[in-house]
Amino acid sequence: MFTTLLDTILFFTVTTPLLDLLAQKIGKKRFAEAYSLLGFIVSIILLPSLYHEVLTEGIIVIKSSILPMGTCFIIDTLSLVMVTIFLLIGLMASIHSIRYMEGDTPLAGYYTMLLCIVAGMIGVALAGDLFTLFIFWEVMCVSSYTLVAFRTGKWAPVEAGYKYLIMSAAGSITILYAMSLLYGMAGTLNIAYLSISLTQAEGGVWTYLSLTLIIVGFGLQAGMAPLHTWLPDAHSAAPSPVSALLSGAMVKTSVYGLIRILVVLFVPMRTEWQVIVAIFAILTMFTGNIVALLQDDVKRLLAFSTVANIGYILIGLATGSLQGLTGCLFQILNHAICKTLLFLCTGSFERQAKTRSLKELAGIWRTMPLTSTAFAIGAVTIAGIPPLSIFWSEVTIILAVSEAGMLLCSAFMIVNMAISAAYCLRMVQLIVVKDVTSTSKNATEAPLSMLIPILILASLSIVIGLFPSSFLAITEKAALAALNIQAYISAVFQG
Amino acid sequence: MIPLTYFLACSMVLYIIGLYCLVVKRNMIRLLIALEIMMNAASLNFIAFSSYGVAGFTHPLAHAFTIMSIGIGGCIIAIGLAITLHAYRHYKTLDVRKLRRLSH
């Protein structure tokens, strides 16, 4: 129907609850977990062939009917890099969920939604027109509302879920409104066709209005200040694997949407959107970092750190240059891996020590050495300490920002990196160096199925830190694909 | 025939009414209705543009999109109502300003 990859993951999404119903009848209680894991693994196995196809044939266009009318999927290097990140994080989150979500019901619903949110993100990454993009965007959003408010027995997830639903739905509707204006101007929703007609048209009021609405709508979901208020609540109240998925992948999907739409669609208004995105980026990084300094709840602290990192990513996008976009995508990759690692570690702490307060978790290194070491690796990486992965991406972004002539922005970013190093190293100091508290004394090391994803992600982030050049080359290819508008448009016309 | 501007103005007004409700109202169910109003504003835009693009021809893409987005709107409202129900069980009120325990 779509691409094999998307078909597979949608097939697993639809069949998980049905087969689980049958499995419950014959007494297989834990069927849904195994089946959804299988779904992620099968999808990951399908990735290399797709990657190979894109490398040999260039951009792949899959269309439903004649093009300006019909819908289409476009697969290029940029979307493949994003899909790889989403699937990796989805797999890690679902492995971690096996023990983390043990006592919760209905588990089949949880794993279905986990598959569904990843399917939505993959759909957004592959969409070639705004119709498809919006449908999959909503698939992603709707499943994330249910995942955030999954533990309805407690008040915190319900409150966070409601807040998140109202804000995020308003953002999605803003995007829909902007799409309707774009449709009115061009008579089509295909991104390539829209790009051509917007280049020919003069930038009137309606174009500016739709540009603003698009930035606000996608920015809201990305956690851009001052619209970030849902993010810390949703991240801290959701189950930890879901927080990891939200912070590592869903927020990045919105950044992907921004990159795709701003770079390809709004070519004539390049300077305008660069300025707007840069202003929001500076605001976002300052808000995130300064508020993160004051937090005691680990998950809230990590959520604010996510806000700050979105600021770094957006400033890379604001340069609009190849190097800036490379840094932006490299930061997306590194931050996704690191933040997932940190949230999963927090999940393990939460399960073993029954607390999320940093003060109470102090000294837990002595009772949970493996998890704490991985947590320390993640925290040091987020702090931007030299040989680790995030340092390389931040340096790439700073160099690109300086090269683009935005010296003030790069100075702001360096200040922010110093602030973030302060709270990240404080976390490391509390977890590793301090004496044990009564809470952390009674904790035991996390079970193996929780350790596996944590150790994989920790080693992955070390590997990226030690050998950044090959990963940088991949993200550079993706950035090149994002900026090569001519190739994108001609692929759609020929395909 | 009614000029296109009227439809655009109408949808803009609907969008602003929705946004106003979202900011000002306190009842949790009213906020969901506000979302629905905003969604209808966008749908109205699509339908108006589909008929006015080419004279005597209605573009089918916008209609397909509108039907899909109405369905999606239904999903959002359904989940919103479900969460509202749970929130009412925990807080015993529908006043959205009482949902402030997390920020403390």
Side-chain angles (χ1 to χ4, degrees), chain A residues 68-71 129-131 134-135 138 142-143 145-146 149 152-156 158-163 165-166 169-170 173-174 176-177 179-181 183-185 187-189 206 209 213 233 236-237 300, chain B residues 8 11-13 15 19 22 27-29 31-32 35-36 38-39 41-43 45-46 49-50 57 59-62 64-65 68-69 72 75-76 79-80 83-84 86-87 90-91 96 98-103:
Chain A
M69 292 278 217
T71 56
D129 62 313
L130 298 180
F131 188 158
F134 185 76
I135 303 292
E138 284 297 343
V142 168
S143 37
Y145 307 147
T146 52
T152 44
K154 296 178 187 158
W155 61 267
V158 173
E159 178 181 327
Y162 186 80
K163 228 181 236 179
L165 183 136
I166 293 290
I173 293 167
T174 310
L176 184 67
Y177 199 83
M179 283 177 188
S180 76
L181 294 179
Y183 171 75
M185 280 181 285
T188 173
L189 282 169
W206 297 107
L209 184 62
L213 293 178
D233 290 350
S236 60
R300 269 186 104 77
Chain B
L8 282 184
S11 88
M12 191 68 98
V13 168
Y15 185 82
L19 208 59
L22 216 52
N27 188 307
M28 291 170 76
I29 292 172
L31 294 188
L32 294 176
L35 286 180
E36 195 66 6
M38 283 163 79
M39 199 147 223
S43 299
N45 251 357
F46 268 112
F49 282 132
S50 78
F57 173 71
H59 205 268
L61 178 69
F65 198 0
M68 290 297 268
S69 69
I72 288 168
C75 293
I76 295 176
I79 292 174
I83 297 178
T84 310
H86 284 291
H90 287 290
Y91 292 81
V96 78
K98 294 281 186 292
L99 266 73
R100 277 211 176 143
R101 286 193 218 164
L102 268 177
S103 30

Side-chain angles (χ1 to χ4, degrees), chain A residues 186-199:
Chain A
T188 173
L189 282 169
N190 189 294
I191 295 177
Y193 282 84
L194 266 174
S195 169
I196 292 175
S197 47
L198 282 186
T199 316

Side-chain angles (χ1 to χ4, degrees), chain A residues 207-215 262 266 269 272-273 276:
Chain A
T207 331
Y208 283 106
L209 184 62
S210 52
L211 172 66
T212 323
L213 293 178
I214 289 262
I215 293 181
L262 291 183
F266 293 99
M269 280 160 290
E272 283 90 340
W273 66 252
I276 301 175

Side-chain angles (χ1 to χ4, degrees), chain A residues 10 62 255 390 448 456 485:
Chain A
L10 282 174
I62 301 159
V255 178
I390 284 202
L448 187 66
I456 290 175
I485 306 166

Side-chain angles (χ1 to χ4, degrees), chain A residues 309-330:
Chain A
N309 275 281
I310 288 299
Y312 304 154
I313 292 168
L314 287 181
I315 200 93
L317 168 63
T319 59
S321 63
L322 176 63
Q323 200 188 0
L325 218 55
T326 308
C328 163
L329 290 169
F330 198 30

Side-chain angles (χ1 to χ4, degrees), chain A residues 171-443:
Chain A
S172 311
I173 293 167
T174 310
I175 297 172
L176 184 67
Y177 199 83
M179 283 177 188
S180 76
L181 294 179
L182 288 173
Y183 171 75
M185 280 181 285
T188 173
L189 282 169
N190 189 294
I191 295 177
Y193 282 84
L194 266 174
S195 169
I196 292 175
S197 47
L198 282 186
T199 316
Q200 286 159 356
E202 288 159 25
V205 178
W206 297 107
T207 331
Y208 283 106
L209 184 62
S210 52
L211 172 66
T212 323
L213 293 178
I214 289 262
I215 293 181
V216 168
F218 280 103
L220 198 151
Q221 194 77 7
M224 192 169 76
L227 304 167
H228 69 285
T229 45
W230 64 269
L231 196 144
D233 290 350
H235 281 51
S236 60
S240 285
V242 176
S243 322
L245 201 61
L246 291 185
S247 174
M250 203 195 71
V251 165
K252 309 297 189 300
T253 315
S254 344
V255 178
Y256 168 82
L258 270 182
I259 294 176
R260 196 47 114 199
I261 292 182
L262 291 183
V263 171
V264 180
L265 270 191
F266 293 99
V267 184
M269 280 160 290
R270 214 186 153 95
T271 26
E272 283 90 340
W273 66 252
Q274 282 177 350
V275 172
I276 301 175
V277 172
I279 292 171
F280 276 123
I282 301 285
L283 195 65
T284 309
M285 59 175 91
F286 270 107
T287 317
N289 276 326
I290 290 172
V291 185
L293 279 175
L294 312 171
Q295 302 300 321
D296 179 53
D297 182 341
V298 190
K299 277 171 92 174
R300 269 186 104 77
L301 191 152
L302 293 177
F304 278 110
S305 153
T306 301
V307 174
N309 275 281
I310 288 299
Y312 304 154
I313 292 168
L314 287 181
I315 200 93
L317 168 63
T319 59
S321 63
L322 176 63
Q323 200 188 0
L325 218 55
T326 308
C328 163
L329 290 169
F330 198 30
Q331 175 83 355
I332 287 180
L333 171 71
N334 290 336
H335 180 249
I337 290 171
C338 264
K339 213 27 97 56
T340 310
L341 166 66
L342 285 170
F343 270 116
L344 293 185
C345 287
T346 318
S348 301
F349 290 149
E350 202 182 343
R351 182 175 179 274
Q352 303 301 108
K354 309 273 179 293
T355 180
R356 290 196 325 235
S357 157
L358 262 177
K359 285 196 190 92
E360 289 179 36
L361 282 175
I364 202 163
W365 184 73
R366 288 173 185 79
T367 45
M368 295 175 71
L370 282 174
T371 314
S372 309
T373 312
F375 186 86
I377 292 172
V380 172
T381 313
I382 288 280
I385 305 294
L388 292 162
S389 60
I390 284 202
F391 170 75
W392 300 112
S393 48
E394 283 178 342
V395 164
T396 319
I397 293 174
I398 289 177
L399 286 179
V401 171
S402 314
E403 229 166 73
M406 303 191 284
L407 285 177
L408 196 63
C409 293
S410 55
F412 281 143
M413 189 166 158
I414 292 168
V415 171
N416 272 290
M417 279 170 68
I419 303 176
S420 76
Y423 62 75
C424 289
L425 295 180
R426 182 180 140 240
M427 278 199 295
V428 177
Q429 186 234 354
L430 276 171
I431 299 277
V432 179
V433 184
K434 277 244 170 147
D435 285 337
V436 279
T437 60
S438 57
T439 323
S440 55
K441 203 162 62 187
N442 297 329

